[in-house]
Amino acid sequence: MATSQRFGSTAVEQAEAVLVEHYPHLVRLAYVSLPGSLGRHTRVLLAHRVVQRALPRAGGGPDPGGPDSPGGPLGGVRVRVLRAALAPAGRARALLARVGWPAAPPFVWGLRFWPPAGGIDEAARLLEGAPAPVRAAFVLHRLDGLPEEAVVRLLGAAGAADPADGVREALAVPVDAELLSALRAPEFDSSVVSTRPTDLLRRRRRVRAGWAGVAAVALIGGVLAADGSPAGTPTAPAAGPVAAGVLDPARLLRVPAEAWADTARVDFTAWPARGARTADRSLLARALGAWAARPGGVTVTAAPGTATDPPAHHPHLLYAGNVPGPASGAAGAEAARAVVLLLDGDRVVRYTEAAAGPRGRTLDFARTDEAGVTTAAALALGPRADGEPARYLLAPWIAGAGTRDLLRPGDATTALAVGADGVTAPAAVPRAAGPCDAWPALELTSSARIVEKHSFVLADLGTPTPVHLTYTPLPDGPGAVAARQPREATGSAARAAWAPVACRLRELRGGGVRAVNVWDFAASELPDGAGRAVWTCTRASGWAGPGDVLVQLRLPAGPPQDVTRARSTAACGRFGQHLLAGTRWRSPAGRWYLLAAGSREVAGITASGAVRAEANGRTLTAPAAAEAAPVSLTGRLVSGGRITALDGAGGGRD
């Protein structure tokens, strides 16, 4: 027994030594592996706690940091960190609760923590949406430099379900070489955090209000006790002082006008309060009251997955003002509406009413998770009739605005006037019904203080947040080296690719879509001399992560041919880059063929079933019968892996 205790004590000392030596790298591993839904502040605190709790106890049973663990003492500490970071949601919540309360001295109230600009936060954003084992494998292999086999053993020891698959997915993640080099640099310390206090005066008022509420509840409880009320009778009022403070217009958060130019977080939190009625307490109170109480006569809409509950904290005021109607002159003034835009965490709330008084009130909720330079660039100012021009409030970092028709790729962009308050002139919008003979879109240009020579395209799909449109070119076309990353849909190739599919955006209206990317993943020479066709996957990514995809075959003439579609899938995205699809096609000569194509890493395609054929490379063409019959397609990857053709359930990997 004494020998066992001495061995345990030595192992603990070894684990402590490696933990101190590798602390920044262990924090990086924990931070990137933890769920992004926790938020940066909580994620930072939890990452440090996970690492500090990775020190084993002497005499506490089998030692994960002992000589039999994968990688010795350092491997054992890594396993402990991974077990905590990859824990199921229930265990993670329990650990999170221990982080927040009870606090250990010294007590510091009101501080918020986040990683400095770049670094591990950039790595976490890059891996957003990937499963936790993939994020962990990315850090261990591509940042810490561990061999693939060692990463598989560590993930397996930590309880990951499929460690080998996690490593394969991590290897497929595209990453900028400069960012990778910066993260690997020895001078980069992942354990460094930035800190800033919350609003000190507001916190002082909130504490006073909280104590007042406690005193009121205690007084009511004493009166009821003296009156003989049962112990279980609820005593708290429905809306105590804290709730009233949250709904106080005077306590809405406001940021300085130039905050966007002096922050590493360029999103809705950097928007200043704009509009001519930001000091109108009555309007702001009606907006907050409608949000909290939902009185009769208020029409409420919400994007899928968006919470509509009242705010728990003081919302951030983005805009309050009157927006003229679509007509000019007196008619426009008569139809003007008062609009209030509020930000509450990961959602934007839009309240509108008639400018002359509280009539025709509406309340719209939209998600804004991890919005950035492009997805936080504009908000639509109010609901409108189908086809009625819209006005937008642009982000303070937008230096220029214009409109263009996606169906006419050769037309130039038309300038769009923007007022001093960031509100645009009326802009044409796509119709929700009827003939699709035009598809207007916004083309915005960022300030050089944010990104030089950066323009991008947004489309209005009927929600407060316009959708970001991007394009990924053919892997064997011009600029193929960087073709994995979506690009802005502003170049000639992007315009040409978007023209045939723009009208399909109508199917996404009101669906909580964040971005839509058109990916030209392969090209085929059609048989019978019919020319060249391009295989395209259009992915609509939702704010929640999963997205819907539509695979089409863009023919030399005529509309594209639908091949397949799938919902709630990772296909055609950052973590679904391997794609195989096939379809039947009739040539101008009247003959039927099976056509199939794969993405960049596909090295061969095999067809079985009604058509039996095999081809090396990324495309396959084989004669087919006139009558449709089931065919199975399998693709061989350069790495030796296999994929199957995308189906309606989002499948595509063996």
Side-chain angles (χ1 to χ4, degrees):
M1 180 65 67
T3 304
S4 174
Q5 289 176 345
R6 287 195 299 272
F7 175 81
S9 176
T10 301
V12 171
E13 292 174 359
Q14 292 175 340
E16 180 184 20
V18 298
L19 190 150
V20 172
E21 180 182 356
H22 298 276
Y23 189 82
H25 289 179
L26 294 169
V27 168
R28 177 174 64 190
L29 174 62
Y31 183 89
V32 176
S33 301
L34 285 165
S37 58
L38 295 174
R40 293 190 298 176
H41 170 78
T42 302
R43 206 172 178 184
V44 165
L45 292 177
L46 198 51
H48 283 269
R49 181 161 184 113
V50 161
V51 174
Q52 292 175 22
R53 289 173 60 88
L55 188 66
R57 297 177 181 272
D63 185 4
D68 296 330
S69 63
L74 177 56
V77 173
R78 281 176 170 148
V79 168
R80 283 177 165 264
V81 169
L82 288 169
R83 282 177 180 168
L86 304 180
R91 288 179 57 195
R93 280 194 294 269
L95 181 58
L96 176 60
R98 291 196 294 272
V99 173
W101 185 264
F107 301 103
V108 182
W109 297 95
L111 285 181
R112 306 296 294 176
F113 297 91
W114 69 94
I120 58 174
D121 205 36
E122 289 299 318
R125 287 176 181 267
L126 174 72
L127 297 164
E128 176 190 1
V134 176
R135 300 196 301 269
F138 180 92
V139 174
L140 291 169
H141 177 59
R142 304 188 68 176
L143 300 185
D144 291 345
L146 270 66
E148 296 178 35
E149 298 79 8
V151 176
V152 171
R153 289 197 300 271
L154 284 172
L155 290 176
D162 191 348
D165 188 63
V167 173
R168 284 195 298 269
E169 292 291 337
L171 288 171
V173 175
V175 59
D176 182 82
E178 293 184 3
L179 174 60
L180 200 60
S181 176
L183 291 173
R184 291 171 172 169
E187 62 271 14
F188 182 80
D189 190 343
S190 299
S191 62
V192 172
V193 298
S194 298
T195 182
R196 181 179 297 171
T198 55
D199 189 305
L200 299 175
L201 292 177
R202 183 173 290 110
R203 192 166 72 241
R204 179 181 296 172
R205 289 194 295 265
R206 189 180 303 164
V207 170
R208 289 174 178 171
W211 280 114
V214 171
V217 170
L219 178 61
I220 294 172
V223 171
L224 291 176
D227 193 43
S229 299
T233 302
T235 60
V242 175
V246 168
L247 300 178
D248 183 355
R251 298 186 181 183
L252 288 171
L253 302 179
R254 304 168 190 246
V255 303
E258 290 295 310
W260 64 272
D262 191 28
T263 179
R265 185 177 178 182
V266 184
D267 57 15
F268 286 114
T269 62
W271 280 37
R274 290 173 287 176
R277 300 184 67 175
T278 54
D280 189 334
R281 289 181 57 91
S282 297
L283 171 63
L284 299 177
R286 287 196 298 273
L288 292 167
W291 183 358
R294 309 289 170 78
V298 177
T299 301
V300 179
T301 64
T306 308
T308 61
D309 53 310
H313 308 285
H314 300 289
H316 174 174
L317 179 61
L318 305 178
Y319 180 84
N322 290 347
V323 179
S328 57
E334 179 68 20
R337 297 190 64 78
V339 178
V340 177
L341 295 174
L342 300 165
L343 176 68
D344 180 48
D346 289 336
R347 58 180 175 167
V348 161
V349 182
R350 182 179 67 193
Y351 170 82
T352 73
E353 65 179 29
R359 302 187 309 276
R361 306 165 75 187
T362 68
L363 197 61
D364 302 285
F365 296 83
R367 292 183 65 159
T368 60
D369 313 47
E370 299 294 335
V373 173
T374 55
T375 48
L379 289 172
L381 289 174
R384 59 191 177 277
D386 187 23
E388 183 179 284
R391 294 177 187 265
Y392 302 90
L393 179 66
L394 302 184
W397 56 83
I398 297 301
T403 61
R404 64 179 175 88
D405 188 349
L406 295 181
L407 302 187
R408 295 167 177 79
D411 289 0
T413 301
T414 302
L416 181 64
V418 182
D421 59 354
V423 177
T424 69
V429 297
R431 289 185 175 274
C436 183
D437 51 11
W439 198 277
L442 291 173
E443 184 166 321
L444 306 180
T445 302
S446 301
S447 167
R449 298 166 70 180
I450 297 294
V451 185
E452 290 187 4
K453 300 179 180 179
H454 177 231
S455 296
F456 53 96
V457 178
L458 302 178
D460 190 326
L461 298 186
T463 63
T465 52
V467 175
H468 183 208
L469 305 184
T470 56
Y471 169 67
T472 305
L474 284 167
D476 50 1
V481 173
R484 289 184 176 181
Q485 292 285 1
R487 303 174 179 182
E488 302 301 347
T490 53
S492 57
R495 293 188 177 205
W498 263 103
V501 300
C503 288
R504 302 298 291 269
L505 289 172
R506 182 179 283 181
E507 303 170 10
L508 306 175
R509 289 184 62 86
V513 177
R514 172 180 183 170
V516 182
N517 181 57
V518 171
W519 174 28
D520 289 346
F521 66 90
S524 293
E525 291 298 329
L526 298 174
D528 296 342
R532 187 171 185 257
V534 175
W535 295 78
T536 294
C537 184
T538 302
R539 175 180 172 84
S541 298
W543 289 99
D548 299 341
V549 302
L550 170 66
V551 177
Q552 295 177 300
L553 183 64
R554 197 162 71 234
L555 302 167
Q561 176 177 323
D562 287 4
V563 175
T564 187
R565 64 190 313 158
R567 301 190 180 278
S568 297
T569 176
C572 304
R574 183 183 298 168
F575 302 104
Q577 295 184 2
H578 300 320
L579 179 64
L580 176 65
T583 187
R584 285 163 41 84
W585 175 78
R586 188 177 185 180
S587 77
R591 287 185 281 267
W592 284 95
Y593 292 91
L594 170 68
L595 305 179
S599 53
R600 173 196 293 263
E601 294 296 317
V602 173
I605 302 174
T606 301
S608 59
V611 176
R612 294 185 175 276
E614 187 172 355
N616 291 322
R618 297 172 43 233
T619 61
L620 178 146
T621 302
E627 298 78 17
V631 176
S632 297
L633 293 172
T634 303
R636 185 182 73 257
L637 301 178
V638 174
S639 63
R642 295 168 63 244
I643 60 172
T644 55
L646 182 71
D647 57 34
R653 173 178 290 277
D654 279 356

